[in-house]
Amino acid sequence: MDFNVKKLASDAGVFFTRAVQFTEEKLGQAEKTELDAHLENLITRADGTKNWTEKILRQTEVLLQPNPSARIEEFIYDKLDKKLPSRGTNAELLGQYMLEAANEFGPGTPYGSTLITVGEYQKRLGSAERELLHTSATTFLTPLRNFLEGDWRTISKERRLLENRRLDLDICKARLKKAKQAEAKAAVRWNAEHELRVAQTEFDRQAEVTRLLLEGISSTHLNHLRCLHDFAEAQATYYAQCHHYMQDLQRELNRCANSVSAPLSSAAVCPDPVSSAFLSGPPSPGATVSSSSQRPSTLTMEQSQLPVTGTRKAKVLYDYDAHDASELSLLADELITVYTVPGMDPDWLVGERGNEKGKVPVTYLELLS
């Protein structure tokens, strides 16, 4: 018990002496031992790494999970070391609602069947998003957190020890200086010199330990670089899957529109194709395409031999994939020659590009004078 009290008193005395030294340094009343330039540069680089890692981590979490309540819930479960309850993505929830609505309205109706189609693809999009979240958390977020909660805490601890060793060194220097100025006894001066040598040795040893840890920041950068590549690859995979699903959805909706009987307009049953909206933007809002124009009849030999009317140039506004041999696939921003023939649907034109020829939708074109 007596030992503990003495140790506590000794620690309190050391703390008070360091506090006095630190205060006098701030007020310019005491000399301060400066770290060498290399170590100072390592400290500055490490501080920048820590600060930017925190910002990147927080913003990535916001990107992957925009809902702040959900982020707080994930944080709490993580700190409690408990597994987060399984929760569907927004797209999966939307898809489920669409499927339930289709059952109520009747899956055999045009609206109900389209709800089923779109709902299934929404669930696929949600599944792809879930995979992105899992991959990003494993390959990117976790390594960043491990650095902040592991390596950086070790570095911070050693830096605090280095600062304490520096304060002890400067205290010993001040004591020796006062002993020399007061022309103290040889024993007092020898004791002050001995304390200074011990403090200098401990300071040099701690400075070396801290330097080695700070030089490890270069390895941290390399590790984070690999993680960044993995994160970008996960994003590329996710967006490629979404693009693929939306193209498939467009084909499904086109088949839906084509199956509608002639008296019904496709706009009343199935939405317009979505691939052009996904890639470049939708056709003009006022454009209405009839069911016959959604899937025009094949360009017959007789039509191809009819006289050409109004040949002119046109700029393609959106990508378009031909759905059969009578149509011409388009790429956004390319120039083609277009014209019409007698008896042709007004929502379509004949397009020519080199030796290729086929029907193209008017809503995807900007006619040039």
Side-chain angles (χ1 to χ4, degrees):
M1 183 65 181
D2 293 338
F3 174 79
N4 290 338
V5 172
K6 291 180 180 179
K7 185 176 185 303
L8 181 62
S10 176
D11 292 342
V14 171
F15 175 81
F16 178 75
T17 306
R18 289 172 177 170
V20 171
Q21 175 68 24
F22 181 80
T23 303
E24 290 179 349
E25 289 176 357
K26 291 298 182 181
L27 296 175
Q29 298 175 357
E31 296 181 359
K32 176 182 177 181
T33 300
E34 299 293 341
L35 302 177
D36 64 81
H38 177 61
L39 188 55
E40 288 284 6
N41 290 335
L42 289 176
I43 291 175
T44 301
R45 185 165 179 251
D47 287 337
T49 300
K50 179 255 186 182
N51 293 334
W52 284 112
T53 300
E54 285 181 333
K55 292 180 180 179
I56 292 172
L57 175 62
R58 285 197 300 267
Q59 193 57 39
T60 305
E61 290 174 337
V62 172
L63 173 67
L64 297 176
Q65 178 52 267
N67 188 341
S69 299
R71 293 201 302 274
I72 293 175
E73 182 182 5
E74 292 174 357
F75 175 80
I76 293 175
Y77 272 90
D78 181 64
K79 291 303 179 182
L80 296 177
D81 198 21
K82 292 186 177 181
K83 185 177 180 181
L84 185 69
S86 179
R87 180 174 55 234
T89 62
N90 292 329
E92 289 176 317
L93 185 59
L94 174 60
Q96 185 61 37
Y97 286 166
M98 288 183 173
L99 295 178
E100 292 175 1
N103 289 332
E104 181 172 335
F105 297 143
T109 64
Y111 182 42
S113 62
T114 304
L115 278 173
I116 292 176
T117 300
V118 178
E120 289 292 346
Y121 277 95
Q122 290 298 325
K123 295 183 73 172
R124 294 184 188 180
L125 292 173
S127 177
E129 181 183 356
R130 183 191 297 275
E131 180 63 25
L132 170 66
L133 295 177
H134 173 73
T135 304
S136 300
T138 303
T139 63
F140 190 60
L141 296 181
T142 298
L144 297 188
R145 290 197 191 98
N146 289 342
F147 165 72
L148 294 174
E149 298 175 1
D151 295 348
W152 182 252
R153 288 184 179 179
T154 301
I155 291 173
S156 298
K157 176 183 176 181
E158 297 302 327
R159 284 176 62 181
R160 287 193 298 270
L161 287 175
L162 177 62
E163 178 66 8
N164 289 337
R165 296 291 180 266
R166 185 197 63 76
L167 289 171
D168 293 342
L169 175 62
D170 288 336
I171 290 170
C172 291
K173 288 180 178 179
R175 286 176 181 171
L176 179 59
K177 183 177 180 180
K178 289 178 181 178
K180 290 180 177 180
Q181 290 175 347
E183 298 182 355
K185 296 179 180 180
V188 175
R189 293 182 58 182
W190 182 89
N191 186 55
E193 290 175 351
H194 175 71
E195 289 179 350
L196 177 59
R197 287 193 295 270
V198 172
Q200 184 70 58
T201 300
E202 292 181 350
F203 171 77
D204 292 341
R205 183 186 300 113
Q206 186 59 39
E208 181 66 15
V209 171
T210 306
R211 181 185 63 80
L212 292 175
L213 286 174
L214 292 174
E215 287 178 346
I217 291 294
S218 297
S219 298
T220 299
H221 286 187
L222 292 176
N223 183 42
H224 289 181
L225 174 61
R226 290 190 292 268
C227 296
L228 193 60
H229 278 283
D230 293 338
F231 177 58
E233 183 178 352
Q235 283 187 305
T237 301
Y238 167 67
Y239 290 119
Q241 286 179 321
C242 292
H243 185 189
H244 174 71
Y245 289 149
M246 295 307 291
Q247 284 186 319
D248 288 347
L249 176 58
Q250 176 220 334
R251 296 187 185 96
E252 291 289 339
L253 295 179
N254 282 336
R255 280 196 290 270
C256 173
N258 192 38
S259 65
V260 177
S261 58
L264 296 176
S265 71
S266 62
V269 179
C270 297
D272 289 336
V274 298
S275 67
S276 60
F278 179 79
L279 294 171
S280 309
S284 58
T288 302
V289 184
S290 66
S291 60
S292 60
S293 63
Q294 279 287 345
R295 181 63 65 239
S297 59
T298 304
L299 188 65
T300 63
M301 181 64 68
E302 290 78 3
Q303 283 182 317
S304 64
Q305 293 176 349
L306 289 173
V308 174
T309 304
T311 301
R312 57 197 301 187
K313 292 289 185 180
K315 178 182 178 181
V316 178
L317 299 177
Y318 319 104
D319 289 354
Y320 179 76
D321 294 327
H323 295 89
D324 55 47
S326 71
E327 298 178 11
L328 179 67
S329 294
L330 304 174
L331 293 176
D333 297 328
E334 70 173 336
L335 295 177
I336 62 173
T337 301
V338 295
Y339 55 87
T340 185
V341 294
M344 189 172 184
D345 191 302
D347 290 324
W348 292 77
L349 294 172
V350 178
E352 288 187 355
R353 180 182 53 230
N355 295 327
E356 297 178 291
K357 179 169 66 173
K359 291 186 177 183
V360 294
V362 175
T363 53
Y364 283 69
L365 304 173
E366 177 186 352
L367 299 178
L368 305 177
S369 56

